[in-house]
Short mmCIF file of all heavy atoms in Angstrom, two decimals:
data_model
loop_
_atom_site.label_atom_id
_atom_site.label_comp_id
_atom_site.label_asym_id
_atom_site.label_seq_id
_atom_site.Cartn_x
_atom_site.Cartn_y
_atom_site.Cartn_z
N TYR J 54 72.96 42.39 21.95
CA TYR J 54 72.75 40.98 21.65
C TYR J 54 72.33 40.27 22.92
O TYR J 54 73.06 40.28 23.91
CB TYR J 54 74.05 40.33 21.14
CG TYR J 54 74.24 40.52 19.66
CD1 TYR J 54 74.63 41.76 19.15
CD2 TYR J 54 74.03 39.48 18.78
CE1 TYR J 54 74.80 41.94 17.80
CE2 TYR J 54 74.21 39.65 17.42
CZ TYR J 54 74.59 40.88 16.93
OH TYR J 54 74.77 41.06 15.59
N ALA J 55 71.15 39.69 22.90
CA ALA J 55 70.69 38.88 24.04
C ALA J 55 71.06 37.44 23.76
O ALA J 55 70.57 36.84 22.81
CB ALA J 55 69.16 39.02 24.20
N ARG J 56 71.94 36.88 24.59
CA ARG J 56 72.41 35.53 24.37
C ARG J 56 71.31 34.54 24.75
O ARG J 56 70.83 34.52 25.87
CB ARG J 56 73.67 35.24 25.19
CG ARG J 56 74.32 33.92 24.83
CD ARG J 56 75.75 33.88 25.30
NE ARG J 56 75.87 33.89 26.74
CZ ARG J 56 75.85 32.80 27.49
NH1 ARG J 56 75.72 31.62 26.93
NH2 ARG J 56 75.99 32.87 28.79
N LYS J 57 70.90 33.70 23.81
CA LYS J 57 69.86 32.72 24.06
C LYS J 57 70.44 31.54 24.82
O LYS J 57 71.62 31.26 24.76
CB LYS J 57 69.25 32.23 22.73
CG LYS J 57 68.52 33.31 21.97
CD LYS J 57 67.76 32.72 20.83
CE LYS J 57 68.66 32.27 19.71
NZ LYS J 57 69.29 33.33 18.99
N SER J 58 69.56 30.83 25.54
CA SER J 58 69.99 29.64 26.27
C SER J 58 70.63 28.65 25.32
O SER J 58 70.09 28.33 24.27
CB SER J 58 68.77 28.99 26.94
OG SER J 58 69.14 27.78 27.55
N GLY J 59 71.82 28.17 25.69
CA GLY J 59 72.51 27.19 24.86
C GLY J 59 73.53 27.80 23.94
O GLY J 59 74.34 27.08 23.36
N ASP J 60 73.53 29.14 23.75
CA ASP J 60 74.55 29.77 22.93
C ASP J 60 75.89 29.70 23.64
O ASP J 60 75.97 29.82 24.86
CB ASP J 60 74.21 31.24 22.65
CG ASP J 60 73.18 31.39 21.55
OD1 ASP J 60 72.97 30.41 20.84
OD2 ASP J 60 72.60 32.47 21.45
N GLU J 61 76.94 29.53 22.89
CA GLU J 61 78.26 29.48 23.48
C GLU J 61 78.73 30.89 23.80
O GLU J 61 78.43 31.83 23.09
CB GLU J 61 79.23 28.80 22.50
CG GLU J 61 78.83 27.37 22.20
CD GLU J 61 79.66 26.78 21.10
OE1 GLU J 61 80.79 27.28 20.88
OE2 GLU J 61 79.20 25.84 20.45
N PRO J 62 79.47 31.08 24.89
CA PRO J 62 79.95 32.41 25.27
C PRO J 62 80.72 33.06 24.13
O PRO J 62 81.56 32.44 23.49
CB PRO J 62 80.87 32.11 26.46
CG PRO J 62 80.35 30.83 27.03
CD PRO J 62 79.89 30.04 25.85
N GLY J 63 80.39 34.32 23.88
CA GLY J 63 81.12 35.07 22.87
C GLY J 63 80.64 34.85 21.45
O GLY J 63 81.14 35.44 20.50
N ARG J 64 79.62 33.99 21.28
CA ARG J 64 79.14 33.71 19.93
C ARG J 64 77.89 34.50 19.64
O ARG J 64 76.93 34.48 20.41
CB ARG J 64 78.87 32.21 19.76
CG ARG J 64 78.21 31.88 18.44
CD ARG J 64 78.31 30.42 18.13
NE ARG J 64 79.71 30.03 18.07
CZ ARG J 64 80.14 28.96 17.42
NH1 ARG J 64 79.30 28.21 16.79
NH2 ARG J 64 81.42 28.64 17.41
N ASP J 65 77.85 35.20 18.51
CA ASP J 65 76.68 35.98 18.15
C ASP J 65 75.55 35.06 17.74
O ASP J 65 75.76 33.98 17.20
CB ASP J 65 77.01 36.94 17.00
CG ASP J 65 77.95 38.04 17.46
OD1 ASP J 65 78.03 38.32 18.68
OD2 ASP J 65 78.63 38.60 16.59
N ALA J 66 74.31 35.51 17.95
CA ALA J 66 73.15 34.67 17.66
C ALA J 66 73.03 34.35 16.19
O ALA J 66 72.42 33.36 15.82
CB ALA J 66 71.88 35.37 18.15
N ASP J 67 73.57 35.20 15.29
CA ASP J 67 73.43 34.99 13.87
C ASP J 67 74.65 34.29 13.28
O ASP J 67 74.90 34.36 12.09
CB ASP J 67 73.24 36.33 13.13
CG ASP J 67 71.87 36.92 13.41
OD1 ASP J 67 70.95 36.14 13.68
OD2 ASP J 67 71.73 38.14 13.36
N ARG J 68 75.43 33.59 14.10
CA ARG J 68 76.61 32.89 13.61
C ARG J 68 76.49 31.40 13.92
O ARG J 68 75.86 30.98 14.86
CB ARG J 68 77.89 33.44 14.26
CG ARG J 68 78.17 34.88 13.91
CD ARG J 68 79.42 35.35 14.60
NE ARG J 68 80.62 34.66 14.13
CZ ARG J 68 81.31 35.03 13.05
NH1 ARG J 68 80.93 36.05 12.35
NH2 ARG J 68 82.40 34.36 12.69
N THR J 69 77.14 30.58 13.08
CA THR J 69 77.27 29.16 13.32
C THR J 69 78.73 28.82 13.15
O THR J 69 79.57 29.69 12.93
CB THR J 69 76.44 28.33 12.31
OG1 THR J 69 77.06 28.41 11.02
CG2 THR J 69 75.02 28.82 12.22
N ASP J 70 79.06 27.53 13.22
CA ASP J 70 80.44 27.12 13.02
C ASP J 70 80.92 27.45 11.61
O ASP J 70 82.11 27.45 11.32
CB ASP J 70 80.58 25.62 13.26
CG ASP J 70 80.38 25.28 14.73
OD1 ASP J 70 80.56 26.18 15.57
OD2 ASP J 70 80.04 24.13 15.03
N ASP J 71 79.98 27.70 10.69
CA ASP J 71 80.34 28.07 9.32
C ASP J 71 80.71 29.54 9.21
O ASP J 71 81.08 30.00 8.14
CB ASP J 71 79.15 27.81 8.37
CG ASP J 71 78.78 26.35 8.34
OD1 ASP J 71 79.68 25.52 8.27
OD2 ASP J 71 77.58 26.05 8.40
N GLY J 72 80.59 30.32 10.28
CA GLY J 72 80.74 31.76 10.19
C GLY J 72 79.36 32.38 10.02
O GLY J 72 78.35 31.76 10.32
N PRO J 73 79.28 33.59 9.53
CA PRO J 73 77.98 34.25 9.40
C PRO J 73 77.09 33.56 8.38
O PRO J 73 77.55 33.10 7.35
CB PRO J 73 78.35 35.67 8.95
CG PRO J 73 79.69 35.54 8.32
CD PRO J 73 80.39 34.46 9.08
N VAL J 74 75.81 33.47 8.69
CA VAL J 74 74.83 32.93 7.75
C VAL J 74 73.71 33.95 7.61
O VAL J 74 73.52 34.81 8.46
CB VAL J 74 74.25 31.58 8.24
CG1 VAL J 74 75.34 30.53 8.31
CG2 VAL J 74 73.57 31.74 9.58
N ASP J 75 72.97 33.83 6.53
CA ASP J 75 71.84 34.71 6.29
C ASP J 75 70.90 34.64 7.50
O ASP J 75 70.46 33.55 7.87
CB ASP J 75 71.11 34.24 5.02
CG ASP J 75 70.00 35.17 4.61
OD1 ASP J 75 69.49 35.93 5.45
OD2 ASP J 75 69.61 35.13 3.42
N PRO J 76 70.58 35.78 8.12
CA PRO J 76 69.68 35.75 9.29
C PRO J 76 68.30 35.18 8.99
O PRO J 76 67.57 34.83 9.90
CB PRO J 76 69.59 37.23 9.70
CG PRO J 76 70.87 37.83 9.19
CD PRO J 76 71.13 37.13 7.89
N ASP J 77 67.92 35.10 7.71
CA ASP J 77 66.64 34.49 7.36
C ASP J 77 66.69 32.97 7.40
O ASP J 77 65.67 32.30 7.34
CB ASP J 77 66.22 34.92 5.96
CG ASP J 77 65.82 36.38 5.91
OD1 ASP J 77 65.32 36.89 6.93
OD2 ASP J 77 66.00 37.02 4.86
N THR J 78 67.90 32.40 7.47
CA THR J 78 68.05 30.95 7.49
C THR J 78 67.63 30.38 8.84
O THR J 78 68.00 30.90 9.88
CB THR J 78 69.51 30.55 7.19
OG1 THR J 78 69.86 31.00 5.88
CG2 THR J 78 69.70 29.05 7.28
N VAL J 79 66.85 29.30 8.80
CA VAL J 79 66.45 28.60 10.02
C VAL J 79 67.54 27.59 10.36
O VAL J 79 67.96 26.79 9.54
CB VAL J 79 65.12 27.86 9.82
CG1 VAL J 79 64.73 27.10 11.09
CG2 VAL J 79 64.02 28.84 9.44
N LEU J 80 68.02 27.64 11.60
CA LEU J 80 69.04 26.71 12.06
C LEU J 80 68.38 25.55 12.80
O LEU J 80 67.57 25.77 13.70
CB LEU J 80 70.03 27.41 12.99
CG LEU J 80 70.76 28.62 12.41
CD1 LEU J 80 71.70 29.22 13.45
CD2 LEU J 80 71.53 28.25 11.15
N VAL J 81 68.74 24.34 12.41
CA VAL J 81 68.18 23.14 13.03
C VAL J 81 69.32 22.26 13.50
O VAL J 81 70.30 22.05 12.78
CB VAL J 81 67.29 22.36 12.04
CG1 VAL J 81 66.84 21.04 12.65
CG2 VAL J 81 66.09 23.19 11.61
N TYR J 82 69.20 21.77 14.72
CA TYR J 82 70.17 20.83 15.29
C TYR J 82 69.42 19.57 15.69
O TYR J 82 68.32 19.65 16.26
CB TYR J 82 70.87 21.44 16.50
CG TYR J 82 71.74 22.61 16.14
CD1 TYR J 82 71.19 23.87 15.97
CD2 TYR J 82 73.11 22.46 15.92
CE1 TYR J 82 71.97 24.96 15.60
CE2 TYR J 82 73.90 23.53 15.56
CZ TYR J 82 73.33 24.78 15.40
OH TYR J 82 74.10 25.85 15.02
N THR J 83 69.99 18.39 15.39
CA THR J 83 69.29 17.14 15.65
C THR J 83 70.23 16.10 16.24
O THR J 83 71.44 16.16 16.05
CB THR J 83 68.69 16.56 14.35
OG1 THR J 83 69.75 16.21 13.46
CG2 THR J 83 67.76 17.56 13.67
N ASP J 84 69.64 15.14 16.93
CA ASP J 84 70.38 13.98 17.40
C ASP J 84 69.40 12.88 17.73
O ASP J 84 68.22 13.14 18.02
CB ASP J 84 71.24 14.31 18.63
CG ASP J 84 72.34 13.28 18.86
OD1 ASP J 84 72.63 12.50 17.94
OD2 ASP J 84 72.92 13.26 19.96
N GLY J 85 69.87 11.64 17.68
CA GLY J 85 69.03 10.51 18.00
C GLY J 85 69.87 9.33 18.41
O GLY J 85 71.06 9.26 18.08
N GLY J 86 69.27 8.40 19.11
CA GLY J 86 69.99 7.21 19.53
C GLY J 86 69.11 6.32 20.37
O GLY J 86 67.94 6.62 20.61
N CYS J 87 69.65 5.18 20.78
CA CYS J 87 68.89 4.29 21.65
C CYS J 87 69.80 3.72 22.72
O CYS J 87 71.03 3.76 22.61
CB CYS J 87 68.19 3.19 20.86
SG CYS J 87 69.24 2.21 19.79
N LEU J 88 69.20 3.22 23.78
CA LEU J 88 69.96 2.77 24.94
C LEU J 88 70.74 1.50 24.63
O LEU J 88 71.79 1.24 25.19
CB LEU J 88 69.02 2.56 26.12
CG LEU J 88 68.19 3.79 26.51
CD1 LEU J 88 67.33 3.50 27.73
CD2 LEU J 88 69.10 4.99 26.77
N ASN J 89 70.20 0.67 23.77
CA ASN J 89 70.92 -0.44 23.17
C ASN J 89 70.63 -0.34 21.68
O ASN J 89 69.83 0.48 21.25
CB ASN J 89 70.46 -1.78 23.73
CG ASN J 89 70.79 -1.91 25.22
OD1 ASN J 89 71.95 -1.94 25.60
ND2 ASN J 89 69.76 -1.96 26.05
N ASN J 90 71.26 -1.15 20.88
CA ASN J 90 71.03 -1.02 19.43
C ASN J 90 70.79 -2.40 18.82
O ASN J 90 71.75 -3.10 18.50
CB ASN J 90 72.23 -0.35 18.76
CG ASN J 90 71.89 0.15 17.36
OD1 ASN J 90 70.74 0.48 17.08
ND2 ASN J 90 72.87 0.19 16.49
N PRO J 91 69.50 -2.81 18.68
CA PRO J 91 68.27 -2.03 18.94
C PRO J 91 67.91 -1.99 20.42
O PRO J 91 68.45 -2.72 21.22
CB PRO J 91 67.23 -2.79 18.13
CG PRO J 91 67.72 -4.20 18.14
CD PRO J 91 69.22 -4.12 18.07
N GLY J 92 66.97 -1.09 20.73
CA GLY J 92 66.50 -0.94 22.09
C GLY J 92 65.59 0.27 22.19
O GLY J 92 65.21 0.86 21.16
N PRO J 93 65.22 0.69 23.38
CA PRO J 93 64.44 1.92 23.54
C PRO J 93 65.23 3.10 22.98
O PRO J 93 66.42 3.25 23.26
CB PRO J 93 64.27 2.03 25.06
CG PRO J 93 64.53 0.65 25.58
CD PRO J 93 65.53 0.04 24.66
N GLY J 94 64.57 3.92 22.18
CA GLY J 94 65.29 5.01 21.53
C GLY J 94 64.56 6.33 21.61
O GLY J 94 63.37 6.39 21.92
N GLY J 95 65.31 7.40 21.34
CA GLY J 95 64.72 8.73 21.36
C GLY J 95 65.40 9.66 20.38
O GLY J 95 66.48 9.36 19.86
N TYR J 96 64.75 10.78 20.12
CA TYR J 96 65.30 11.80 19.23
C TYR J 96 65.11 13.17 19.86
O TYR J 96 64.23 13.36 20.71
CB TYR J 96 64.63 11.75 17.85
CG TYR J 96 63.14 12.04 17.89
CD1 TYR J 96 62.66 13.34 17.90
CD2 TYR J 96 62.22 11.00 17.94
CE1 TYR J 96 61.30 13.61 17.95
CE2 TYR J 96 60.86 11.25 17.99
CZ TYR J 96 60.40 12.55 18.00
OH TYR J 96 59.06 12.82 18.07
N GLY J 97 65.94 14.10 19.45
CA GLY J 97 65.80 15.48 19.91
C GLY J 97 66.15 16.43 18.79
O GLY J 97 67.01 16.14 17.96
N ALA J 98 65.47 17.56 18.74
CA ALA J 98 65.73 18.56 17.71
C ALA J 98 65.51 19.96 18.28
O ALA J 98 64.61 20.16 19.11
CB ALA J 98 64.84 18.35 16.49
N ILE J 99 66.33 20.89 17.85
CA ILE J 99 66.20 22.30 18.24
C ILE J 99 66.07 23.11 16.95
O ILE J 99 66.89 22.98 16.04
CB ILE J 99 67.41 22.77 19.04
CG1 ILE J 99 67.49 22.02 20.38
CG2 ILE J 99 67.34 24.29 19.30
CD1 ILE J 99 68.77 22.29 21.15
N ILE J 100 65.04 23.94 16.88
CA ILE J 100 64.80 24.82 15.74
C ILE J 100 64.96 26.25 16.20
O ILE J 100 64.29 26.68 17.14
CB ILE J 100 63.39 24.62 15.15
CG1 ILE J 100 63.19 23.16 14.71
CG2 ILE J 100 63.15 25.58 13.99
CD1 ILE J 100 61.77 22.86 14.25
N GLN J 101 65.84 27.00 15.56
CA GLN J 101 66.05 28.41 15.88
C GLN J 101 65.71 29.27 14.67
O GLN J 101 66.33 29.14 13.62
CB GLN J 101 67.50 28.64 16.32
CG GLN J 101 67.83 27.93 17.63
CD GLN J 101 69.21 28.26 18.15
OE1 GLN J 101 70.12 28.49 17.39
NE2 GLN J 101 69.35 28.26 19.46
N ALA J 102 64.71 30.12 14.84
CA ALA J 102 64.24 30.96 13.74
C ALA J 102 63.62 32.23 14.29
O ALA J 102 62.85 32.19 15.25
CB ALA J 102 63.20 30.21 12.90
N GLY J 103 63.97 33.34 13.68
CA GLY J 103 63.35 34.60 14.05
C GLY J 103 63.53 34.97 15.50
O GLY J 103 62.64 35.58 16.10
N GLY J 104 64.66 34.60 16.10
CA GLY J 104 64.90 34.91 17.49
C GLY J 104 64.17 34.01 18.47
O GLY J 104 64.23 34.22 19.67
N GLU J 105 63.46 33.01 17.94
CA GLU J 105 62.74 32.08 18.80
C GLU J 105 63.33 30.68 18.68
O GLU J 105 63.98 30.35 17.70
CB GLU J 105 61.25 32.05 18.43
CG GLU J 105 60.55 33.39 18.59
CD GLU J 105 59.09 33.33 18.19
OE1 GLU J 105 58.67 32.28 17.65
OE2 GLU J 105 58.37 34.31 18.43
N GLU J 106 63.08 29.87 19.70
CA GLU J 106 63.61 28.51 19.72
C GLU J 106 62.50 27.53 20.04
O GLU J 106 61.70 27.75 20.93
CB GLU J 106 64.72 28.40 20.76
CG GLU J 106 65.33 27.01 20.87
CD GLU J 106 66.47 26.98 21.87
OE1 GLU J 106 67.57 27.45 21.51
OE2 GLU J 106 66.24 26.50 23.00
#
Side-chain angles (χ1 to χ4, degrees):
Y54 275 74
R56 189 161 67 88
K57 296 190 287 291
S58 174
D60 281 345
E61 298 172 23
R64 173 163 300 202
D65 291 339
D67 289 332
R68 296 179 65 85
T69 71
D70 292 337
D71 298 316
V74 296
D75 186 338
D77 290 330
T78 298
V79 178
L80 302 180
V81 174
Y82 294 82
T83 65
D84 198 15
C87 55
L88 304 182
N89 295 295
N90 196 28
Y96 62 83
I99 295 172
I100 301 174
Q101 294 186 328
E105 299 179 351
E106 179 177 284

